[in-house]
């Protein structure tokens, strides 16, 4: 059995706590590796290495730090297939989707190459008589990040690239369900020229997270994962005086207006609802057709498309639309929620229950499901299912559809499909959700904009990546300076050669 490691001070280090978790191959259901679960002493070793290395890194000029990022981008491209393969094998997502996971992280690294520009401070010449004022952005010191299983390449890079470009050391506690790619990324950063101790990976579960939360030296925590854990980490981290940003779960609505191109909307719903087996925080999990006629036509167009979906292991190549979910527990949770929808009276139009794939009977595959006539009081509407299950909630009017998205406690992403610019504009302006798509089902902002939801999908003030990341990973220091005047009058003004 393969035993994974931590990555501390430039070396792979075996776990010493004696605790391990299983890393599965979700397609076969087999345990393929053991992941060490760190205790507080193991975290301490990483913190000490980070603390020792960080001042020199912070003193390295931003352009040199950016060069490491530049080199890292080249290495990510060089190893793209290797990274995607390792990612698919532990997560289960298709090979092209795994490459997308690496690519969307890589784009944030590219953005961070602009660190010298982004870290330039502010300057006021003559703020008073003989007084100048300037603000500089300084790194925080030792920072940490806790990441989810569903984007094991992208989300770690969203955190560590800006943190490191700003001059911090970063300790990553990735998901214990797919920890191999984060370890590979740390190796590649060092190959790109990053000094030892600046990026370290400490694997673990709640015990490692709590050690991070209560460690005095750690200045900031970035978290992405489910809302209950986000809430816990935000509350505890803030009470410990840390700078914290936490991104939680989602329940993304897509509103389909009567004037929308329904083929386009149906195609969009297939990709956004079932891609990555629905294990995306930007997945569309609720379709809201406006009007009975729109709803009937939409369901009619969705059913054959859903029935044609190809579910299989990533090793089947491009011929697969989505793979297994991450663990047997995730599968059981989806099945339980599907049953709760049936019990609550929702209409199961496409029934993916009992799905089995020949040769992969023990894999964590879930067939695609489509519910119609879901209502807001049902658990399948209120909870994030994180599986290939799309719920349809019929709305009588645009205002009713808008109210649904507004009243849901989650506010990560949402979309509207329409040909009417007025409706689209009104929706984008009024809806209380962080990321909006207009005829775009998964509106994930690019690296130079920022990513973040509203309501219970986020805890904290600043978004991920884009300019916000450079604010999150730096502190502002403002200097007001006055120099004694009159010295120059008494000076020697005749030209003299240098001595
Ligand atoms: P999760 O909350 O179970 O785990 C996230 C991280 O927290 C992992 O590193 C895990 O080890 C750690 N953790 C788990 N339980 C903990 C506990 N009790 N105490 C302390 N730490 C704990 O989330 P997940 O299942 O890995 O990821 C899926 C979730 O992440 C979904 O809810 C999804 O919507 C969300 N997500 C959100 C975004 C976003 O940007 N808003 C992006 C991706 C995923």
């Amino acid at each position: 059995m393969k035993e994974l490691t931590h990555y501390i001070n430039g070396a792979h280090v075996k776990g010493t706590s004696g605790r391990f978790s299983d890393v599965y191959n979700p397609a076969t259901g087999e345990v393929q590796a053991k992941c060490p679960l760190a205790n507080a002493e193991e975290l301490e070793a990483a913190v000490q290495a980070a603390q020792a290395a960080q001042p020199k890194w912070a003193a390295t000029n931003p352009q040199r730090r950016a060069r490491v990022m530049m080199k890292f981008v080249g290495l990510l491209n060089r190893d793209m297939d290797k990274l995607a393969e390792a990612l698919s094998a532990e997560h289960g997502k298709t090979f092209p989707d795994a490459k997308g996971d690496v690519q969307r992280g890589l784009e944030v690294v590219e953005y961070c190459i602009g660190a010298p520009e982004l870290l330039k401070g502010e300057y006021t010449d003559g703020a008073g008589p003989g007084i100048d004022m300037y603000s500089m952005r300084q790194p925080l010191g030792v920072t940490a990040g806790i990441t989810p299983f569903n984007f094991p390449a992208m989300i770690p890079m969203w955190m560590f690239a800006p943190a490191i470009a700003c001059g911090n050391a970063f300790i990553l506690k990735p998901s214990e369900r797919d920890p191999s790619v984060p370890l590979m990324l740390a190796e590649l950063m060092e190959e790109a020229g990053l000094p030892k101790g600046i990026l370290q990976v400490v694997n673990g579960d709640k015990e490692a997270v709590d050690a991070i939360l209560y460690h005095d030296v750690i200045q900031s925590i970035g978290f992405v994962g489910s809302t209950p854990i986000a809430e816990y980490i935000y509350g505890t981290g803030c009470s410990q005086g840390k700078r914290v940003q936490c991104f939680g779960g989602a329940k993304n609505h897509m509103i389909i207006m009567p004037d929308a191109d329904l083929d386009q909307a149906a195609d969009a719903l297939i990709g956004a609802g079932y891609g990555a087996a629905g294990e995306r925080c930007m997945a569309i999990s609720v379709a809201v057709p406006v009007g009975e006629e729109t709803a009937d036509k939409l369901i009619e167009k969705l059913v054959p498309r859903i029935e044609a979906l190809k579910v299989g292991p990533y090793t089947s190549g491009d011929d697969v639309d989505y793979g297994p979910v991450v663990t047997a527990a995730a599968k059981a949770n989806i099945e339980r929620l599907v049953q709760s929808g049936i019990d609550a009276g929702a209409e199961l139009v496409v029934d993916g229950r009992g799905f089995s794939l020949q040769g992969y009977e023990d894999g964590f595959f879930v067939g695609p499901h489509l519910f119609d006539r879901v209502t807001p009081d049902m658990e399948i509407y209120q909870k994030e299912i994180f599986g290939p299950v799309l719920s349809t909630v019929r709305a009588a009017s645009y205002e009713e559809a808008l109210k649904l998205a507004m009243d849901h406690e989650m506010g990560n992403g949402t979309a509207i499909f329409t040909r009417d610019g007025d409706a689209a504009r009104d929706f984008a302006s009024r809806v209380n959700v962080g990321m909006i798509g207009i005829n775009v089902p998964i509106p994930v902002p690019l690296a130079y904009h920022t990513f973040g939801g509203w309501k219970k999908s986020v805890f904290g003030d600043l978004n991920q990546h884009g300019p916000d990341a450079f604010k999150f990973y730096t502190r502002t220091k403002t200097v007001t300076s006055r120099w004694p005047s009159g010295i120059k009058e008494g000076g020697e003004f005749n030209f003299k050669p240098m001595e």
Side-chain angles (χ1 to χ4, degrees), residues 118-442:
L118 289 156
L119 290 170
K120 274 195 317 204
E122 295 162 350
Y123 191 90
T124 302
D125 176 31
I131 296 176
D132 303 322
M133 196 175 281
Y134 58 96
S135 298
M136 44 188 162
R137 308 207 70 95
Q138 294 195 326
L140 305 176
V142 179
T143 60
I146 298 150
T147 52
F149 82 85
N150 68 327
F151 283 99
M154 179 184 85
I155 294 177
M157 284 192 261
W158 282 10
M159 292 183 188
F160 76 64
I164 289 172
C166 288
N168 299 288
F170 188 88
I171 297 173
L172 172 66
K173 204 302 286 170
S175 171
E176 65 277 37
R177 288 181 252 175
D178 45 14
S180 289
V181 170
L183 290 164
M184 292 162 82
L185 295 176
E187 276 177 13
L188 288 181
M189 278 291 278
E190 283 192 20
E191 192 182 337
L194 190 72
K196 293 180 197 319
I198 298 300
L199 174 61
Q200 301 176 93
V201 180
V202 174
N203 280 305
D205 57 2
K206 180 171 167 43
E207 190 171 334
V209 171
D210 284 343
I212 290 172
L213 281 168
Y214 290 101
H215 203 298
D216 283 350
V217 169
I218 295 175
Q219 300 295 307
S220 78
I221 300 179
F223 171 87
V224 178
S226 58
T227 289
I229 313 295
E231 212 160 1
Y232 165 70
I233 289 177
Y234 190 70
T236 314
C238 289
S239 76
Q240 295 304 304
K242 300 189 193 312
R243 184 178 288 199
V244 192
Q245 60 172 188
C246 295
F247 299 86
K251 195 80 182 176
N252 304 323
H253 295 54
M254 179 167 133
I255 286 146
I256 302 102
M257 295 294 285
D259 66 350
D261 178 328
L262 290 184
D263 283 304
Q264 192 195 26
D267 286 340
L269 277 169
I270 296 297
Y274 300 95
E279 289 177 322
R280 288 182 184 141
C281 70
M282 288 297 277
I284 294 287
S285 48
V286 185
V288 188
V290 174
E292 287 296 318
E293 201 186 325
T294 315
D296 291 342
K297 281 192 197 152
L298 183 71
I299 297 281
E300 204 177 290
K301 288 185 184 292
L302 282 172
V303 171
R305 285 170 164 85
I306 297 169
E307 285 173 349
L309 281 170
K310 291 185 201 130
V311 185
Y314 79 94
T315 40
S316 297
D318 292 355
D319 201 31
V320 167
D321 294 316
Y322 73 81
V325 298
V326 69
T327 55
K331 181 176 168 169
N333 185 47
I334 296 163
E335 288 171 346
R336 188 193 68 72
L337 282 160
V338 166
Q339 190 55 48
S340 87
I342 297 166
D343 295 346
E347 202 179 303
L348 189 57
V349 183
V350 179
D351 185 353
R353 288 176 298 169
F355 180 89
S356 178
L357 201 63
Q358 205 182 358
Y360 295 92
E361 287 80 1
D362 295 328
F364 312 135
F365 291 97
V366 180
H369 297 72
L370 175 66
F371 275 111
D372 194 5
R373 301 187 190 282
V374 173
T375 51
D377 54 309
M378 294 179 186
E379 194 184 1
I380 47 165
Y381 178 74
Q382 290 161 359
K383 287 230 173 93
E384 182 179 39
I385 302 176
F386 229 51
V389 183
L390 181 64
S391 297
T392 311
V393 182
R394 294 174 175 232
S397 64
Y398 164 72
E399 286 297 332
E400 197 181 307
L402 174 66
K403 189 171 177 334
L404 277 168
M406 305 256 314
D407 286 352
H408 202 284
E409 64 169 0
M410 299 297 182
N412 215 37
T414 185
I416 186 167
F417 273 61
T418 181
R419 288 191 173 97
D420 179 3
D422 179 43
R425 213 169 160 267
D426 184 77
F427 182 72
S429 154
R430 283 167 67 199
V431 73
N432 54 1
V433 171
M435 293 171 280
I436 319 295
I438 297 174
N439 298 314
V440 172
I442 306 189

